[in-house]
Every structure is written in C-alpha cells, then in structure tokens.
Amino acid sequence: MQVLHDAPLAPLTTFRLGGPATRLITATTDAEVIDAVREADTAGTPLLVIGGGSNLVIGDKGFDGTALRIATRGFALSGTTLELAAGEVWSDAVARTVEAGLAGVECLSGIPGSAGATPIQNVGAYGQEVSATITEVVAYDRTVGETVTLSNAECAFSYRHSRFKDQPERYVVLRVRFRLEDAGGLSAPVKYAETARVLGVEAGDRVALATARDTVLKLRAGKGMVLDPEDHDTWSAGSFFTNPILTDTAFAAFRAQVRERLGEGVEPPAYPAGQGRTKTSAAWLIDKAGFTKGYGSGPARISTKHTLALTNRGGATTEDLLALAREVVAGVRDAFGVTLVNEPVSVGVSV
C-alpha cells in the first residue's frame, strides 16, 4: 500500500483537473482497501474513493482528507459468470469478455474508468446497462463495518443511478459479479437505433461480437469518447449531463417551448421512460439552446465532436469548467424550461 502526502489528484482524473489531497493511499488488495477505509472512519478523516477518475470533478483547492485510489486487480471467468475486482480497467475487461465469446457488455466497450464504478453509476451506452448483467456487488459497508454482498435487486438500479450513488458515504465497492450470455459468438440483441443503422441490421438482431465491439468503439471515438492523451476532446468525463426524464405534464410544457422557439414543425427527441414519463436528449437540448460543438473561448469548452462533453483544452481550472457548465445549464433552462443534471461526481464544488 503506497501512501503519499500533499499528492496531486488531477493526474488521476480524465479531466486532468483538481488540487491535491492531504494524503493519497493506493490500495492493491481488498484488505488494503478495507484497512484504509476503517482507518479514515475511525479517525473521522474525510475519505474520497477514486477508481479510474473518469466521472470525477475535483475542486481547485483539492481534497482535505484521505484520497483512496483503488488499484485492485482480478478477472475471474467461469462459464458465463464473471467476477471483476473493483480496480480492473473496465474497457480491458470488456475486451476480454468479447474475446471469450460472451455477450452482454460488448456495447459498453471503450467506456473509461474502473469496474467498481460501473454499478454506482449503472453505466450504460448504446442500448446496454450494467444492471442487465450484474448479479451481485461485494462492498464494504461503512455503516456496519462489514463486507456485504448485495443482489441485483438490492442495488436498486435505475437510469444512471443505484443504491451506491444514493448512499455515497456508505459503500465502497470491492468486487462486481456478472452473468453474461454464450450466444455462439454473437452479440446480445442490438437495441440502440444508431448502432443498428451503422451495422445495417434491424433492432433486435444479433451480430458478431467483435463487429459489435468495433462498431461501438468507432462510434465513441467519433464523439471523442475513447481516451486519447493527444486529443483534448477526450480530456473530459464523457457525457457531462444526464438525459432528462420528464413527467407527461413537464414534457407537454417542454414541447410547447420547443415549438415556440424553433417552430411548429419541430419535435424534440422522445423515448418512453416508464409510466407517465418521457426521456429526451440532453445533447439535443444543449445544441438547440445555442451551445454547439466547440462552444467557448477559454480553456474549458464543449467538445468539437459532441455537445454533451465538456472538455479541458489544456491549462483549464475546475472553476473554468464549472463556469461553462453553469452557462449551459442556465441557457437550456431559459430556452426550454428543462434543468440539466450533471452526471460526474463533484468534490468540493457544485455546478
């Protein structure tokens, strides 16, 4: 277990932003993770858990406490059952499942971050979410001081949300277990319209696993969503805002504002999101409110490839990023009456 003092945190995040931590511990085993958490809790020291840093916005003043970087490793595949240590690199783990001929997470290829973060956010993309394949999550419960195993139902998954996100100070994820599918080298049924269109298939069809993975990687790369240290469009947290889910009443009011602003023939994106609820597109809202690709004049700007990503063009501060985020939120609210919600976890700051 490595311990550093006054340690920079910016290099541990994909934004490359944020000040130092009073102390940084890097844990490589579950036992080291638990020991570090217990030590901080016993001493009453604030604790920040860091995985891949791909969903994290840290304030310029840093973190006054202990930052715990989880660097555990473990990839155990038995039949269609997979167990990942929390510190496993998610994109690498997905690649290995595709190589093994197993379906279920292939459309989550290229997503940065660690395996332990996936259940917290209920990570999803291109028609797949980890909640569809996760069977159990092993976590350290700080409230009772014990390691616990939570079933899929106990994780309380919903759109980009979970029990872990709802109770961020309670659980530290140690291991994640999945049940994948052996479909004879084929993918899970393709659900996402854009993916189906690029693949030249109908929704519900299956394609070769490698083809599904390669297609998703190309789609993500075209939007600056695959990490590349030379490409500032990837110095981001991916999608900065979640897609709004509106009640029928709120969606009707939103449609009226769209028509008033953009014309009677314009219809906003709309997707069923459960009884009496409709999901719309945050990227569409941002673009139609006037924040187009590349928007901004400072070191923090909207990606040149995707309006949903806010980026550090080099030399930005967290405050630069937040100023841009606040401008976008205010602009979308003024234009369409919808308040965007940021997806990354904020440490010491708020949008």
Side-chain angles (χ1 to χ4, degrees):
M1 183 161 58
Q2 182 188 66
V3 181
L4 299 174
H5 296 274
D6 195 29
L9 295 180
L12 302 183
T13 75
T14 52
F15 264 125
R16 294 167 171 80
L17 297 176
T22 305
R23 186 171 70 149
L24 171 64
I25 296 175
T26 299
T28 58
T29 68
D30 289 353
E32 289 180 354
V33 171
I34 292 170
D35 286 346
V37 175
R38 283 177 172 163
E39 179 189 354
D41 288 346
T42 300
T45 303
L47 179 70
L48 171 64
V49 178
I50 300 176
S54 61
N55 200 45
L56 201 56
V57 178
I58 299 174
D60 292 316
K61 293 182 179 179
F63 183 70
D64 185 11
T66 295
L68 171 60
R69 178 172 172 259
I70 298 181
T72 54
R73 291 291 180 267
F75 180 102
L77 186 60
S78 176
T80 59
T81 300
L82 172 67
E83 179 178 286
L84 297 177
E88 277 291 325
V89 177
W90 174 251
S91 58
D92 292 348
V94 173
R96 291 177 70 177
T97 68
V98 171
E99 289 170 2
L102 297 177
V105 293
E106 63 278 1
C107 290
L108 304 179
S109 295
I111 292 178
S114 62
T118 61
I120 297 172
Q121 190 73 5
N122 186 15
V123 164
Y126 295 100
Q128 290 183 345
E129 289 182 329
V130 292
S131 57
T133 51
I134 287 176
T135 57
E136 294 178 329
V137 174
V138 180
Y140 178 69
D141 185 337
R142 298 168 67 185
T143 300
V144 300
E146 296 178 357
T147 299
V148 297
T149 300
L150 290 84
S151 67
N152 182 288
E154 289 172 322
C155 293
F157 290 121
S158 59
Y159 173 65
R160 301 297 175 270
H161 201 74
S162 70
R163 179 176 184 172
F164 311 105
K165 193 171 182 180
D166 195 45
Q167 299 175 286
E169 301 299 320
R170 181 168 180 177
Y171 298 101
V172 177
V173 175
L174 301 173
R175 299 190 167 266
V176 188
R177 295 171 180 151
F178 302 81
R179 181 171 292 112
L180 304 175
E181 178 189 7
D182 185 348
L186 296 179
S187 70
V190 177
K191 295 180 179 179
Y192 199 69
E194 182 184 19
T195 314
R197 176 179 54 79
V198 173
L199 287 166
V201 300
E202 297 294 325
D205 288 349
R206 296 176 184 260
V207 298
L209 273 167
T211 301
R213 170 175 162 77
D214 290 345
T215 298
V216 166
L217 286 173
K218 289 174 183 176
L219 286 170
R220 291 187 63 84
K223 299 173 182 178
M225 298 291 185
V226 177
L227 292 181
D228 178 351
E230 302 302 317
D231 182 359
H232 282 278
D233 279 329
T234 73
W235 289 31
S236 74
S239 299
F240 195 86
F241 300 103
T242 58
N243 289 322
I245 296 177
L246 307 175
T247 64
D248 287 346
T249 301
F251 188 77
F254 164 54
R255 282 183 71 193
Q257 286 194 246
V258 167
R259 290 173 176 176
E260 181 179 342
R261 181 181 178 90
L262 303 177
E264 283 297 322
V266 178
E267 285 291 338
Y271 312 96
Q275 184 67 33
R277 295 159 70 83
T278 300
K279 180 167 68 176
T280 192
S281 166
W284 187 91
L285 285 163
I286 292 167
D287 181 71
K288 298 304 181 184
F291 302 101
T292 53
K293 295 174 185 177
Y295 178 89
S297 57
R301 304 180 195 175
I302 290 177
S303 166
T304 65
K305 299 181 179 72
H306 200 295
T307 54
L308 204 47
L310 308 188
T311 67
N312 171 12
R313 310 312 295 186
T317 64
T318 302
E319 279 305 310
D320 292 330
L321 176 76
L322 294 175
L324 175 61
R326 291 169 187 143
E327 183 183 1
V328 171
V329 170
V332 168
R333 186 191 301 118
D334 290 345
F336 300 113
V338 176
T339 300
L340 294 176
V341 176
N342 54 293
E343 189 168 325
V345 175
S346 299
V347 178
V349 292
S350 60
V351 174

